[in-house]
Amino acid sequence: MKQPFHHGSLKLALLDASVVLLDMHGPDGVTIRAVAREAGVSHAAPVNHYKDRETLLTALATVLFKDLLACVIKKLRSEDLLANERISVFATVLFEYAMTHPNRYRLLWHTGLVDHSDPELLDVMNQFYGACCAEISGAKMCTNRDVETYAIALWSMVHGYIDLRLTGMFEARNDTVSGHPRLEAMLELFQNSGRTKS
Amino acid sequence: MKQPFHHGSLKLALLDASVVLLDMHGPDGVTIRAVAREAGVSHAAPVNHYKDRETLLTALATVLFKDLLACVIKKLRSEDLLANERISVFATVLFEYAMTHPNRYRLLWHTGLVDHSDPELLDVMNQFYGACCAEISGAKMCTNRDVETYAIALWSMVHGYIDLRLTGMFEARNDTVSGHPRLEAMLELFQNSGRTKS
DNA sequence: ACATTTTAATTGACGCTGTCAATATAGACT
DNA sequence: AGTCTATATTGACAGCGTCAATTAAAATGT
């Protein structure tokens, strides 16, 4: 038994097709029927693997979130960094991912299309939050009982900036190939907030 | 001439109907046909006033954004506040608006449904940004050339936190009827970032 | 090996949507 | 009155999500 059925492993092929459509046409372009066409199967074939559109897009978001988290972890491991640099890397990887794949980032937070109460997705998001807390904690910029506040503030700031940028505010004139001056200035501001505890 | 036509002023009635549907069923529930039904007209009547769905929802978002801005301005005028308190009020009004009317807040930033390059909407958003900058500037927490960075950081943090909350992260256990401890802690953190310039 | 059961894919249908074209009607203007 | 414009209605079309009925392939049991 090499191929379980006609197509082989349609479940994975549907996710691949979804990413292609997502990048090309945005979240709204990832319809069940379009995904089926892209994968070369009939319009109702996907229902065997994902019971409705929300389920498909939630699975897709879960995969993308895992990729992004892996991306962050890999980058943090590959370089020898100071604690405050690690926070910058965390933010920068997120930001560059969003600018490189705007539609993928949009899907991750699309409440109308993705079910954010899905256990598997929730698990990845909590791992992400955990990683964020670990970096804040490692930077020793606040007391232990403030770690969550600082972590939420950092994530909120980065996510909020990305979201505002993706809607067209604060146009790209801020950015260059070698860096993101605005983001870096904001990160410096964030770091400063931890230096006044006396 | 009291009523220009059958219905009177359908253009406004459509916006009213849209808000009702938005609050009840979210952005996806605001379809042209549902709005027409809610307003008691035929399914193609709206096309005379809004040429397509995106145009209708962009007009709706513009109205809601104006309301929110008016809300902020009114609150800032009605009370006698210190500069740093004004920043908190700015953030808190935004936050409470989003928690009271989550679907309205979601629509404001829904890139798939709203055209954020629309001149009228862009104008309101720029006024909003201007108001944010004015408060940062008034608080004298940074040099003039850093005002934009601080304003963007503040708006990003508040917007990001709202957005994360609306997707279900950081559940409401943080909030009480009298306050929003987490938000307040984050605002204090933000204020601290301005106190290290020596 | 053959028959049976389970899994996976197809086809066709339904009601919903956005949008357009054709039509009808109310009001304003001359 | 008659004409013109703005506004609303009706009907059609394709695309969508979803379901039911059907067919086909693969796994299983004997």
Side-chain angles (χ1 to χ4, degrees), chain A residues 1 4 6 31-33 52-53:
Chain A
M1 145 185 157
H6 287 158
T31 67
I32 287 189
R33 293 173 103 105
D52 54 23
R53 191 183 178 211

Side-chain angles (χ1 to χ4, degrees), chain B residues 13-27 29-30 34-35 38-39 60 64 103-104:
Chain B
L14 290 172
L15 289 179
D16 289 346
S18 296
V19 176
V20 172
L21 291 171
L22 177 60
D23 285 339
M24 283 199 309
H25 304 115
V30 189
V35 170
E38 180 76 19
L60 179 58
L64 296 179
N103 287 331
R104 298 188 196 183

Side-chain angles (χ1 to χ4, degrees), chain B:
Chain B
M1 146 184 156
K2 31 188 167 183
Q3 303 294 52
F5 202 54
H6 287 157
H7 179 280
S9 50
L10 183 54
K11 190 160 188 173
L12 291 177
L14 290 172
L15 289 179
D16 289 346
S18 296
V19 176
V20 172
L21 291 171
L22 177 60
D23 285 339
M24 283 199 309
H25 304 115
D28 292 343
V30 189
T31 66
I32 287 189
R33 292 172 104 106
V35 170
R37 275 193 298 272
E38 180 76 19
V41 294
S42 70
H43 70 265
V47 81
N48 293 298
H49 304 281
Y50 304 100
K51 76 172 205 293
D52 55 22
R53 191 183 179 210
E54 193 182 61
T55 305
L56 169 64
L57 292 180
T58 301
L60 179 58
T62 305
V63 168
L64 296 179
F65 232 121
K66 280 180 182 165
D67 285 352
L68 177 52
L69 179 57
C71 216
V72 169
I73 290 174
K74 184 183 167 190
K75 192 89 174 182
L76 284 173
R77 279 216 187 111
S78 68
E79 299 178 34
D80 217 26
L81 299 158
L82 303 174
N84 68 323
E85 290 173 331
R86 293 177 65 86
I87 289 178
S88 291
V89 166
F90 184 92
T92 305
V93 171
L94 264 173
F95 181 77
E96 289 180 347
Y97 178 88
M99 295 302 126
T100 312
H101 305 292
N103 287 331
R104 298 188 196 183
Y105 194 88
R106 272 190 257 261
L107 179 71
L108 292 180
W109 306 98
H110 202 122
T111 52
L113 300 177
V114 171
D115 172 20
H116 290 93
S117 70
D118 176 81
E120 209 179 334
L121 177 54
L122 219 47
D123 182 55
V124 187
M125 294 175 82
N126 284 331
Q127 284 179 44
F128 216 102
Y129 178 53
C132 184
C133 287
E135 296 308 326
I136 294 293
S137 188
K140 295 189 175 35
M141 58 190 303
C142 61
T143 62
N144 278 344
R145 49 167 271 123
D146 284 338
V147 165
E148 289 211 83
T149 291
Y150 275 70
I152 292 174
L154 173 63
W155 198 3
S156 294
M157 187 179 75
V158 174
H159 171 65
Y161 180 57
I162 290 171
D163 200 50
L164 293 175
R165 280 289 300 269
L166 288 181
T167 71
M169 304 229 71
F170 322 136
E171 274 305 346
R173 64 180 180 276
N174 299 318
D175 300 311
T176 66
V177 278
S178 59
H180 320 288
R182 183 71 73 192
L183 178 66
E184 285 154 22
M186 286 168 55
L187 288 169
E188 194 186 336
L189 179 158
F190 178 77
Q191 314 258 9
N192 280 344
S193 69
R195 294 203 200 113
T196 46
K197 297 283 169 190
S198 60

